[in-house]
Amino acid sequence: MLSRSVLARQAQRAARASWQHETRRGLAAPASGSFSYDTGDAQGIKVASRDQTGPVTTLALVAKAGTRYQPLPGLTQALERFAFKSTENRSTLRIQREAELLGSELNSYHSRENLVLGAKFLRDDLPYFVELLAEVVTQTKYAPHVLHEEIFPLIQLEQKKFLGSPLSMATNSAYGLAFHRGLGVPLYPSSSLPVAKYIDPEGVADFSNAAYSKPNFAIVANGATHTELSKWVNEFFTDIPAQPSSQITSEPSKYYGGEERIAHGSGNALVIAFPGSSSPTGSSYKPEVAVLAALLGGPSAIKWSTGSSKLLLATAEAPNLFAHTKSTIHSDAGLLSIALSGTADDIRLVAKPVVDALKAISQGVSKEDLAKAKALAKFKELENGQATEGSLELTGAGLILNGKPYQIDDVAKNFDSVTAEKVQAVAKAALEGKASVSAVGDLYVLPYAEEIGLKV
């Protein structure tokens, strides 16, 4: 009879052999199968789809109507909130009940560049939801009582929520410092802005006519064949204007930089931002920026582990501090940001070491650190591509911009060409140029940019 120790060793060898067999395809290589989109036109509207196996379909209409393109403050929020309200053919209640009977989800949200109307439903119900989206963009009633009684209160709640989050305030402030107008317009207006002064039903309707014209939106689906999607778009999207009633424009993004300090009594945050990368479908895509963000890192992704990222090592003396690095991409620009949130004393304690960590990267990156950062950046990109929401918006935005979808298979391969020298160059350029630094909270304690070694 075998002893317990012998059995344990055999089990360990079997598990190790199984793990080694499963991982022979290589570190962070994509699994078999493709995330690629099929693209085309239907009724002059750009459409893209990928037929992922499964019973559920996700459908999105991505419009060029984010806060960057709104002509007046709050219009993007108002247009988002009017989605799935009463149309010429259906009441709000009917839309809600029909969606419930079909076992589906309806949602709408906006980013700095896009307004997204989405639905998630059983695969066989694709015709109904394509028809519903067509109704939303062509027949929504922009009634005054809905705006004043339902939408304005929601916008005011979002303003209060924004005001209660020092980190959100600091992030939006950093964007304003970095880009001024355009991408610098806040995602949500501050509570002191009189939104009602700028928004009326006629203005929302005019903005919708421009946003929902053929050049300014695209339809993207996950879990639907391209033939089926094109068929139903051709059938239901027949009344879309070929040209917008007014042009939706924005000046090309230009980076400025600077410093802003905002007093806040409910928390503390410090955001340090630098010029980043555009989206892969944009004109200034730099995969090395995402690798630098992965190298700096943030909270550990491994349970019970403190992690070993550069940012965590720099903030080790403040274990209760939230620290995170992010590379945010847009059509023609991006922002590499380091966010710190916690007590004012903790932020002051670690802010200088965080900048020193970036300086150390500008002077050299080890082979092992580069390999880990590239693997993490590739993993995050593939994970984002596999998750439907992120890829839907990026694909729609790419189609609107230049007719190119966000092909995740190609994007993930770009990280293989990133070298240590490219990462060092990005870090060095960030430190030599002007940073965008926003401090929100106890301004007596929170450091100035100059005190932590940054130029503004």
Side-chain angles (χ1 to χ4, degrees):
M1 182 175 179
L2 295 175
S3 67
R4 183 175 298 177
S5 61
V6 172
L7 289 172
R9 287 195 296 271
Q10 289 177 342
Q12 290 172 350
R13 284 196 294 269
R16 189 178 299 114
S18 173
W19 177 84
Q20 289 172 345
H21 174 74
E22 291 173 357
T23 56
R24 281 175 188 164
R25 65 184 177 88
L27 179 64
S32 60
S34 175
F35 292 136
S36 297
Y37 282 93
D38 296 321
T39 62
D41 282 1
Q43 289 284 2
I45 300 165
K46 298 179 179 66
V47 297
S49 65
R50 59 183 184 191
D51 189 13
Q52 290 181 307
T53 304
V56 175
T57 296
T58 305
L59 179 69
L61 186 149
V62 182
K64 181 182 171 183
T67 51
R68 174 178 184 171
Y69 299 107
Q70 62 182 7
L72 293 171
L75 276 178
T76 292
Q77 281 179 283
L79 187 57
E80 173 197 338
R81 292 296 180 182
F82 264 111
F84 307 113
K85 297 292 186 183
S86 294
T87 68
E88 297 295 337
N89 293 332
R90 309 178 213 219
S91 67
T92 303
L93 182 61
R94 178 182 169 184
I95 292 173
Q96 293 171 351
R97 292 295 178 262
E98 287 178 347
E100 290 173 348
L101 287 170
L102 292 174
S104 62
E105 296 178 6
L106 301 176
N107 68 85
S108 61
Y109 67 91
H110 73 274
S111 62
R112 295 186 184 276
E113 293 190 297
N114 306 301
L115 172 63
V116 182
L117 313 182
K120 187 180 291 186
F121 48 86
L122 296 176
R123 192 182 184 99
D124 292 340
D125 296 327
L126 178 65
Y128 170 83
F129 288 96
V130 174
E131 182 183 17
L132 178 60
L133 285 182
E135 266 191 41
V136 168
V137 301
T138 59
Q139 300 181 34
T140 294
K141 296 178 180 178
Y142 297 98
H145 75 276
V146 175
L147 179 64
H148 292 285
E149 297 174 15
E150 298 181 26
I151 293 177
F152 275 159
L154 291 174
I155 291 177
Q156 290 165 359
L157 284 174
E158 288 175 336
Q159 289 177 312
K160 292 178 180 178
K161 180 180 177 181
F162 170 75
L163 186 63
S165 172
L167 184 55
S168 296
M169 292 181 66
T171 301
N172 276 282
S173 170
Y175 262 93
L177 292 167
F179 300 112
H180 292 185
R181 301 185 184 276
L183 286 176
V185 175
L187 273 175
Y188 302 98
S190 66
S191 60
S192 59
L193 184 69
V195 175
K197 171 184 175 182
Y198 297 101
I199 303 176
D200 55 50
E202 294 76 17
V204 180
D206 290 343
F207 187 44
S208 74
N209 290 335
Y212 298 145
S213 60
K214 291 181 180 180
N216 290 332
F217 76 89
I219 299 173
V220 189
N222 279 336
T225 65
H226 191 67
T227 302
E228 282 291 299
L229 180 62
S230 299
K231 171 186 174 181
W232 298 117
V233 171
N234 274 317
E235 179 167 338
F236 295 120
F237 280 79
T238 55
D239 299 325
I240 306 298
Q243 295 297 326
S245 57
S246 58
Q247 293 300 318
I248 294 181
T249 59
S250 174
E251 293 294 324
S253 296
K254 178 183 177 181
Y255 182 85
Y256 295 92
E259 182 174 18
E260 184 174 22
R261 296 168 67 81
I262 304 170
H264 199 288
S266 300
N268 302 274
L270 180 70
V271 172
I272 304 167
F274 308 96
S277 166
S278 73
S279 67
T281 56
S283 57
S284 56
Y285 176 58
K286 299 177 182 178
E288 54 268 27
V289 176
V291 175
L292 175 57
L295 183 58
L296 283 167
S300 175
I302 303 171
K303 193 173 184 179
W304 310 126
S305 170
T306 57
S308 59
S309 70
K310 302 295 184 185
L311 195 59
L312 283 176
L313 293 176
T315 59
E317 293 186 32
N320 295 322
L321 183 83
F322 171 80
H324 182 64
T325 310
K326 186 175 183 180
S327 172
T328 310
I329 55 177
H330 303 285
S331 62
D332 61 350
L335 209 61
L336 174 67
S337 60
I338 302 171
L340 305 175
S341 179
T343 67
D345 290 328
D346 280 349
I347 293 175
R348 184 178 183 88
L349 177 67
V350 304
K352 182 69 165 61
V354 165
V355 175
D356 290 341
L358 185 60
K359 290 179 179 179
I361 292 173
S362 70
Q363 295 169 2
V365 179
S366 71
K367 186 176 180 180
E368 180 183 354
D369 285 343
L370 179 65
K372 287 195 299 183
K374 288 169 66 174
L376 179 58
K378 182 182 287 189
F379 164 75
K380 288 184 175 180
E381 201 71 39
L382 290 170
E383 182 187 36
N384 184 59
Q386 188 173 357
T388 55
E389 286 77 9
S391 60
L392 286 171
E393 182 181 351
L394 286 169
T395 297
L399 290 174
I400 297 168
L401 177 66
N402 52 25
K404 296 180 181 179
Y406 179 74
Q407 300 290 26
I408 189 63
D409 292 336
D410 297 332
V411 173
K413 294 175 184 177
N414 291 328
F415 296 112
D416 295 333
S417 62
V418 175
T419 63
E421 290 74 21
K422 289 182 179 179
V423 176
Q424 289 175 228
V426 172
K428 186 176 181 181
L431 292 167
E432 291 178 349
K434 293 180 67 175
S436 299
V437 183
S438 177
V440 177
D442 185 351
L443 302 185
Y444 178 76
V445 179
L446 292 174
Y448 284 86
E450 186 180 3
E451 294 173 348
I452 58 178
L454 292 174
K455 300 175 182 179
V456 290

